[in-house]
């Protein structure tokens, strides 16, 4: 049986968001919010916690994706974000102001795409509210002031959802039925968005493999559905091939994502962390000793071969630890599940200030209310969740949750899900108002 398209039949379709005054209003508000927080937290842009600025500067100065000079190619971090930092650096030095400007622009694109996707999903009444929820989201606000990938990853996640929903609605505004050519182009568009997301954060790899499920749910003929899936699959293989081939040439082994995965798996599955879970009495685990011991066991000698060897050693140690203590492995997975979806940020110390505690609890209250609305939204949407756009959204949520059951996790890891959660919260408000209104 063919499924229904994303928008509900009773929802009026807007011809263009460019004629919508709310579109411009929310963009201005988002600019003020994101630009303001960036200016207030400008000092954060001087830091480089994950070496992305270093990579970008080396792309500019050394013309190589490397963290070292003399050049030794790396795959320790995904390539898209540092490449974007390099391309957009007018000064050729990746200045803090340039990073802030890039993050503000990417944040505005995210806001604009959320506005459009809300309309696509048949919730145009709430398009501005959903957008504002993304603009002021505490996780995204915090990460927008750091030289890290969350801002870009969130943008690419919502871009993919817009592309999937656009594919699902192909032909609706035309008198003629969609053709194989139409679905081929749309499938390639989806693949392009997913490939960019993977190059930003390899966690999207699993989602990329699940995207065909949403394409199968489109209401086209089976021939056209398989055409879109074939176009998607072939295009994403074509787009991913250069990175894989490059890494094979560098490491003499296929590296699909990064050479960092083993470390993040071991970070959440090692004896020190398991012992903390058993008897730790501090708010957060101090992982300094863990990192020092790993570096001592597997010293990095500055070569690509050493980088890959360390990654494989980390994978082996993590798997060995999980096999040696499956009970703690299972328990730690539950802990990471809670860390991923927790509403309340961790206290960083036992003697935190009352101001910081107040901010933490305010954020926790914000997410508790939002999560309650999300549950209501899931209930209210019901069978609509079987539409292509929602299938893509739910598989993104599920795949990220699954990955972080095993790999290291915290609240910021769910950043790419924020637009979905915002739209679901608006669907929850819609359900509540509908049930409260007189029949």
């Amino acid at each position: 049986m063919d499924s229904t398209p994303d928008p509900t039949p009773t929802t009026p379709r807007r011809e263009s968001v460019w004629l919508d005054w709310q579109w411009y209003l929310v963009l201005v508000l988002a600019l003020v919010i994101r630009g303001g927080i960036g200016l207030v937290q400008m000092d954060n842009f001087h830091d480089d916690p994950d070496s992305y600025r270093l990579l970008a500067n080396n792309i500019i100065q050394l013309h190589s994706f490397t963290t070292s000079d003399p050049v030794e190619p790396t795959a320790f971090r995904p390539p898209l974000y540092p490449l974007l930092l390099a391309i957009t650096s007018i000064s050729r030095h990746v200045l803090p102001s340039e990073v802030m400007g890039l993050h503000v622009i990417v944040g505005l694109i995210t806001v604009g795409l959320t506005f459009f996707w809300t309309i696509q999903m048949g919730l145009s009444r709430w398009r501005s509210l959903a957008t504002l929820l993304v603009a002021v989201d505490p996780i995204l606000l915090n990460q927008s002031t750091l030289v890290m990938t969350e801002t870009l990853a969130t943008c690419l996640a919502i871009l993919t959802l817009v592309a999937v929903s656009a594919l699902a609605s192909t032909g609706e505004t035309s008198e003629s039925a969609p053709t194989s050519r139409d679905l081929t182009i749309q499938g390639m568009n989806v693949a392009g968005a997913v490939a960019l997301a993977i190059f930003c954060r390899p966690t999207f790899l699993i989602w990329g493999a699940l995207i065909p499920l949403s394409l199968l749910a489109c209401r086209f003929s089976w021939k056209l559905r398989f055409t879109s899936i074939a176009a998607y699959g072939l295009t994403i293989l074509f787009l991913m091939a250069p990175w894989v081939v490059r890494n094979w040439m560098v490491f003499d082994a296929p590296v699909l994502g990064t050479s960092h995965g083993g470390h993040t798996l071991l970070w959440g599955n090692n004896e020190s962390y398991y012992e903390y879970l058993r008897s730790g009495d501090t708010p957060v685990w101090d992982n300094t000793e863990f990192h020092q011991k790993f570096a001592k066991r597997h010293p990095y000698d500055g070569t690509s071969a050493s980088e890959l060897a360390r990654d494989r050693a980390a994978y082996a140690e993590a798997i060995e630890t999980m096999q040696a203590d499956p009970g703690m492995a299972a328990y730690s997975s539950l802990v990471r599940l809670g860390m991923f979806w927790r509403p309340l940020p961790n206290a960083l110390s036992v003697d935190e200030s009352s101001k910081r505690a107040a901010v933490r609890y305010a954020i926790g209250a914000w997410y508790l209310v939002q999560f309650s609305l999300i549950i209501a939204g899931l209930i209210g949407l019901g069978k609509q969740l079987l539409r292509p756009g929602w299938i893509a959204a739910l598989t993104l949520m599920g795949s990220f949750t699954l990955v972080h059951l095993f790999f290291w996790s915290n609240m910021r890891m769910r950043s790419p899900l924020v637009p979905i959660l915002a739209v679901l919260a608006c669907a929850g408000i819609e359900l509540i108002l509908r049930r409260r209104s007189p029949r």
Side-chain angles (χ1 to χ4, degrees):
M1 180 181 293
D2 292 342
S3 66
T4 56
D6 280 342
T8 59
T10 58
T11 300
R13 179 175 291 278
R14 292 174 174 265
E15 291 299 323
S16 174
V17 295
W18 301 107
L19 303 178
D20 191 335
W21 64 270
Q22 292 188 40
W23 162 271
Y24 298 100
L25 177 60
V26 295
L27 286 179
V28 171
L29 290 174
L31 175 61
V32 172
I33 294 167
R34 291 296 180 90
I37 196 70
L39 289 173
V40 171
Q41 300 291 334
M42 179 63 78
D43 287 346
N44 288 354
F45 291 107
H46 290 271
D47 299 329
D48 191 21
D50 289 343
S51 300
Y52 286 115
R53 175 183 279 110
L54 174 62
L55 286 165
N57 277 320
N58 284 343
I59 290 173
I60 296 169
Q61 305 299 331
L62 304 177
H63 309 293
S64 179
F65 191 69
T66 180
T67 56
S68 60
D69 185 9
V71 170
E72 189 70 25
T74 183
F76 194 70
R77 296 293 181 190
L80 182 61
Y81 180 61
L83 184 61
L84 193 58
L85 289 175
I87 291 172
T88 57
S89 176
I90 299 174
S91 71
R92 315 309 289 166
H93 296 290
V94 193
L95 300 175
S97 58
E98 293 171 332
V99 181
M100 190 203 83
L102 173 63
H103 282 204
V104 170
I105 292 171
V106 173
L108 291 179
I109 295 173
T110 303
V111 163
L113 290 171
T114 303
F115 188 96
F116 188 64
W117 191 62
T118 308
I119 298 172
Q120 287 181 309
M121 303 315 295
L123 292 164
S124 60
R125 176 185 179 186
W126 304 103
R127 60 195 185 280
S128 294
L129 178 57
T131 299
L132 289 175
L133 288 176
V134 172
V136 303
D137 182 80
I139 295 176
L140 292 186
L141 284 179
N142 182 69
Q143 295 306 123
S144 71
T145 66
L146 302 174
V147 188
M148 299 176 74
T149 60
E150 282 74 20
T151 299
L152 181 59
T154 305
C155 180
L156 296 174
I158 188 63
L159 175 64
T160 302
L161 292 174
V162 167
V164 170
S165 296
L167 185 152
S169 60
T170 300
E172 287 185 3
T173 58
S174 172
E175 294 182 1
S176 58
T179 64
S180 294
R181 179 177 181 274
D182 296 330
L183 273 298
T184 297
I185 293 173
Q186 294 285 7
M188 294 172 68
N189 289 341
V190 175
V194 172
L196 288 174
I198 293 171
F199 285 138
C200 176
R201 180 177 287 187
T203 314
F204 285 105
L205 275 165
I206 293 179
W207 188 41
L210 296 175
I211 285 290
L213 294 178
S214 60
L215 305 186
L216 278 175
C218 294
R219 69 171 186 172
F220 314 124
S221 67
W222 283 106
K223 177 183 177 181
L224 290 180
R225 295 184 212 189
F226 286 120
T227 296
S228 66
I229 292 172
Y232 167 80
L234 291 173
T235 303
I236 202 165
L237 288 175
F238 174 79
L239 294 174
M240 292 294 299
W243 176 248
V244 177
V245 171
R246 177 262 189 189
N247 290 338
W248 205 320
M249 294 174 65
V250 170
F251 298 105
D252 289 325
V255 177
L256 188 58
T258 67
S259 57
H260 184 61
H263 188 77
T264 53
L265 181 65
L266 181 60
W267 197 351
N269 295 279
N270 61 83
E271 284 298 332
S272 175
Y273 183 57
Y274 283 6
E275 183 58 34
Y276 169 79
L277 294 180
R278 293 188 190 96
S279 56
D281 56 1
T282 56
V284 293
W285 170 52
D286 184 356
N287 53 53
T288 305
E289 185 179 2
F290 155 71
H291 290 297
Q292 292 174 343
K293 287 184 176 180
F294 180 79
K296 187 175 181 179
R297 291 194 306 273
H298 307 286
Y300 176 55
D301 64 12
T303 65
S304 301
S306 173
E307 178 182 307
L308 183 62
R310 282 163 54 89
D311 185 56
R312 289 180 170 177
Y315 269 116
E317 287 188 19
I319 293 171
E320 182 180 351
T321 301
M322 289 188 284
Q323 291 176 339
D325 197 343
M328 281 304 300
Y331 176 63
S332 67
S333 292
L334 294 177
V335 171
R336 283 188 291 274
L337 176 65
M339 291 167 65
F340 185 83
W341 285 109
R342 63 178 297 153
L344 183 69
N346 263 323
L348 299 180
S349 65
V350 292
D351 56 348
E352 73 172 352
S353 66
S354 57
K355 180 181 178 181
R356 181 177 288 274
V359 171
R360 283 200 310 112
Y361 285 112
I363 293 173
W366 167 277
Y367 283 124
L368 280 176
V369 172
Q370 188 181 64
F371 286 173
S372 299
L373 292 173
I374 289 167
I375 294 172
L378 291 169
I379 295 172
L381 288 169
K383 292 182 178 180
Q384 295 181 48
L385 294 173
L386 297 177
R387 292 175 176 148
W390 283 122
I391 291 175
L394 294 177
T395 52
L396 176 58
M397 294 170 62
S399 63
F400 266 57
T401 302
L402 177 64
V403 167
H404 290 291
L405 284 177
F406 303 97
F407 293 80
W408 184 252
S409 178
N410 54 40
M411 289 176 65
R412 73 176 175 87
M413 303 298 183
R414 70 170 188 259
S415 298
L417 311 183
V418 167
I420 302 171
L421 302 178
V423 176
L424 283 173
C426 289
I429 297 174
E430 173 92 2
L431 173 67
I432 294 170
L433 293 181
R434 188 166 65 240
R435 290 190 174 181
R436 288 175 63 89
S437 61
R439 297 182 181 276

